[in-house]
Amino acid sequence: MSTIGKALSLLDSASRLDKEAGLTDIARLCGLDKATARRFLVELEKHGFVEQDPETRKYRIGSAPVRLARIREARYPFLRVAVPFIKALAEASTETVHLSEFSGRRLSTIHVEDSRRAHRVNVEVGTLLPLHATASGLAYLAFCPPDEIDAALSRPLERITEYTIVEPAMVRGLLDETVARGFSINHQGIEAGVVSTAAPIRAPGGHPIGCVAIAAPIVRADQAEVMKFGAQVAAAARAITEKYYGSEKPMGTSTQIRRTG
Amino acid sequence: MSTIGKALSLLDSASRLDKEAGLTDIARLCGLDKATARRFLVELEKHGFVEQDPETRKYRIGSAPVRLARIREARYPFLRVAVPFIKALAEASTETVHLSEFSGRRLSTIHVEDSRRAHRVNVEVGTLLPLHATASGLAYLAFCPPDEIDAALSRPLERITEYTIVEPAMVRGLLDETVARGFSINHQGIEAGVVSTAAPIRAPGGHPIGCVAIAAPIVRADQAEVMKFGAQVAAAARAITEKYYGSEKPMGTSTQIRRTG
DNA sequence: GCATATGGTTCAATAGTTGAACCAGTGCTT
DNA sequence: AAGCACTGGTTCAACTATTGAACCATATGC
């Protein structure tokens, strides 16, 4: 891997920590030498991507990403466009709704509207979503080109709960169902007692950029309710796509992506 | 310069462009070879820091910075803390108020509340603020340690308007006045007909992290008014500092980094 | 059809990166 | 107070990743 890649991986790893970390911890976490980690951190600091607390000497994410994010959001206001729809969906479904975005080879949560109910599913912003074990991941993958699906399923799939589906062939079955339905269903694959549905937001080329998902406690998610949630997420994803990419809809909704059986 | 530094500079340069750019343009802008620029872009793309439009082949800022920014903001909600004060100040002063943050060796605008008046000063989010020719820059520099001031004034200072002060000795004079007053005054140094005042928000160590500034048309900025703006800006900066660092900054009493033993 | 753009690729020469071993400081134990 | 076990930070010869001129393929304009 290139130096740049390693440095950005370090940044990525450091960002996943719950709190600020010291040099030794960061180096250990990334499997890098202390000297190397430090050189990266110094270089990242020069450009504002990390900053070091002068007192504790610990490192944290800097403000350069904030500046870049602002510029991107100003030009590509995905969140600004999507959030009203997420809010409306949370209102309509009375369940927790979240929005994810594919970035840096990972699908991560970028916005959450919590259900107002006392018994609800809680999702944290920033959470990474495994592609095989979440509704969002399945919805994303289902509309990816075959080589990306192959790549995603070629690695060993983690069994997160006793319900997690880890056999590639079975996951492919779920993807086919997802394409046929227009939304995915994840039955307790990421957390016991939680059922989710999700639908992708797709760029004009057809490739998904992220997903809308509803997560509900299993006691409130019978067959009929899940289908209702599915229809709602699919509608929300369509609405966001339309607003985000203008009048132009995803091209070749049925012909663009060919999946192998 | 290290490879990482060059790649981050490329990202920085690309972010300053008004629109998406092609490979050749980016390479030229950064003074890099086309092959090198491309390798950087590919690497940055792998990690989501840039993305390439599949149709136009042009590059734009990716979504990884958005994720990092979210994490930083969640942990260090500078903007969230500061914006209400900026809004209140805009209301009270009836002039355009903006907030800047020092990042990656530059001071850049991160929030603006425009005046409601027809005749007003317009400031864009993302604008970089020269340290010698803006109220924010002077307020920032004035409270920096001497070596940083020396470094900033050792480079040639750009004459932006006919009023811009470019003699290091005179700039030092302004800095001294700023420290004495608690806020800076910039008289048409960045744009003719505009007078600004600014005050720094300072970290517990004393180092400024950014500034609050009011910018007004010169016709509404007589001596008395400017002093009033200055007092307001200083008060806002103090209030933000207190809120930001106030209750919960101190040394981590409860949580320690876990170490493997 | 030629000229001149563009994005993208190659590979030998080279320049930047690496990491074990080092120093210095801090806080805990004895 | 000496010893220990951490910490962050630095050094420099060995080495490996980076560099960029020249290359290809394609697209647009005259």
Side-chain angles (χ1 to χ4, degrees):
Chain A
M1 191 195 282
S2 76
T3 313
I4 299 165
K6 281 180 244 172
L8 295 179
S9 291
L10 179 148
L11 189 59
D12 190 58
S13 303
S15 78
R16 213 156 299 139
L17 258 36
D18 291 338
K19 46 192 163 23
E20 303 174 22
L23 172 61
T24 309
D25 287 308
I26 292 174
R28 195 161 31 220
L29 180 69
C30 306
L32 291 169
D33 186 87
K34 216 161 42 113
T36 304
R38 177 144 210 286
R39 284 194 329 109
F40 287 175
L41 286 166
V42 167
E43 211 60 38
L44 289 167
E45 187 177 31
K46 274 189 197 163
H47 294 263
F49 283 82
V50 302
E51 54 190 40
Q52 186 180 32
D53 191 301
E55 287 176 30
T56 65
R57 318 238 91 184
K58 289 187 187 305
Y59 297 89
R60 71 174 91 97
I61 298 169
S63 48
V66 178
R67 183 178 153 263
L68 294 175
R70 259 156 227 298
I71 291 169
R72 179 183 161 86
E73 291 271 300
R75 263 180 241 169
Y76 267 74
F78 178 45
L79 211 71
R80 206 187 302 162
V81 167
V83 166
F85 292 95
I86 303 299
K87 283 200 160 90
L89 184 52
E91 199 71 39
S93 65
T94 77
E95 296 293 352
T96 298
V97 179
H98 64 275
L99 180 71
S100 57
E101 187 176 25
F102 194 75
S103 152
R105 295 181 164 168
R106 289 154 188 278
L107 191 65
S108 62
T109 306
I110 61 170
H111 189 83
V112 179
E113 287 292 330
D114 281 315
S115 164
R116 295 212 192 110
R117 291 166 177 254
H119 177 210
R120 65 174 181 227
V121 180
N122 285 304
V123 179
E124 290 291 315
V125 167
T127 311
L128 295 176
L129 306 165
L131 296 183
H132 69 291
T134 61
S136 298
L138 293 170
Y140 172 80
L141 211 51
F143 293 93
C144 281
D147 60 324
E148 270 186 70
I149 298 174
D150 295 343
L153 299 182
S154 65
R155 289 180 285 267
L157 304 177
E158 190 188 354
R159 184 182 298 278
I160 298 162
T161 74
E162 56 180 309
Y163 303 96
T164 309
I165 292 167
V166 295
E167 299 83 6
M170 292 190 70
V171 174
R172 281 176 198 277
L174 294 179
L175 297 181
D176 289 341
E177 289 172 22
T178 299
V179 170
R181 264 197 309 257
F183 60 88
S184 62
I185 299 173
N186 173 38
H187 192 85
Q188 307 186 75
I190 186 79
E191 195 160 330
V194 174
V195 176
S196 304
T197 62
I201 292 139
R202 297 164 72 191
H207 198 282
I209 60 163
C211 295
V212 183
I214 297 182
I218 197 165
V219 293
R220 289 203 295 269
D222 62 15
Q223 176 77 5
E225 199 67 7
V226 166
M227 295 312 275
K228 198 193 82 187
F229 289 153
Q232 288 179 319
V233 287
R238 258 198 311 277
I240 292 167
T241 305
E242 215 162 301
K243 187 104 179 178
Y244 188 38
Y245 291 111
S247 52
E248 197 180 358
K249 288 175 185 166
M251 292 171 161
T253 41
S254 55
T255 56
Q256 184 79 15
I257 305 232
R258 284 272 296 140
R259 300 200 357 81
T260 53
Chain B
M1 191 195 282
S2 76
T3 313
I4 298 164
K6 282 180 243 171
L8 296 179
S9 292
L10 180 149
L11 188 59
D12 190 58
S13 302
S15 79
R16 214 155 296 141
L17 259 37
D18 291 337
K19 45 174 176 50
E20 302 174 23
L23 173 61
T24 309
D25 286 316
I26 292 174
R28 199 169 18 228
L29 179 70
C30 306
L32 291 169
D33 187 86
K34 215 160 43 116
T36 304
R38 177 145 209 288
R39 285 193 329 109
F40 287 175
L41 286 166
V42 167
E43 211 61 37
L44 288 166
E45 187 176 32
K46 273 189 197 162
H47 293 264
F49 283 82
V50 302
E51 54 191 39
Q52 186 180 30
D53 191 300
E55 287 177 30
T56 66
R57 318 239 90 183
K58 288 187 187 305
Y59 297 88
R60 72 174 89 98
I61 298 169
S63 48
V66 179
R67 182 177 154 265
L68 293 175
R70 259 156 227 298
I71 291 169
R72 179 183 160 87
E73 291 271 299
R75 259 180 246 170
Y76 264 75
F78 178 46
L79 211 72
R80 206 188 302 160
V81 167
V83 166
F85 293 95
I86 303 298
K87 283 199 159 91
L89 185 52
E91 199 72 38
S93 66
T94 76
E95 297 292 351
T96 298
V97 178
H98 64 275
L99 180 71
S100 57
E101 188 177 25
F102 193 74
S103 153
R105 295 179 166 171
R106 290 155 187 278
L107 192 66
S108 62
T109 306
I110 61 169
H111 189 83
V112 179
E113 288 292 330
D114 282 315
S115 164
R116 295 212 191 109
R117 289 168 178 253
H119 177 210
R120 66 174 181 227
V121 180
N122 285 302
V123 179
E124 292 291 316
V125 168
T127 311
L128 295 176
L129 305 166
L131 297 184
H132 69 292
T134 61
S136 297
L138 292 170
Y140 172 80
L141 210 52
F143 293 93
C144 281
D147 60 325
E148 269 186 71
I149 298 175
D150 296 342
L153 299 182
S154 65
R155 290 180 284 268
L157 305 177
E158 191 187 354
R159 185 182 297 281
I160 297 161
T161 74
E162 55 179 310
Y163 303 97
T164 309
I165 291 166
V166 294
E167 298 82 6
M170 292 190 70
V171 174
R172 280 176 200 276
L174 295 179
L175 297 181
D176 290 342
E177 289 172 23
T178 298
V179 171
R181 263 196 309 256
F183 61 88
S184 64
I185 299 173
N186 173 39
H187 192 85
Q188 308 188 74
I190 185 78
E191 197 162 328
V194 174
V195 175
S196 304
T197 62
I201 292 140
R202 298 165 73 190
H207 198 280
I209 61 163
C211 296
V212 183
I214 297 183
I218 197 165
V219 294
R220 289 202 295 268
D222 61 17
Q223 176 76 5
E225 199 67 6
V226 166
M227 294 312 277
K228 199 193 82 188
F229 289 154
Q232 288 180 319
V233 118
R238 256 196 313 278
I240 293 167
T241 304
E242 212 163 301
K243 188 102 179 181
Y244 189 37
Y245 291 113
S247 48
E248 58 166 300
K249 163 71 193 171
M251 321 256 295
T253 45
S254 57
T255 53
Q256 280 289 330
I257 301 271
R258 224 181 339 183
R259 307 211 165 85
T260 53

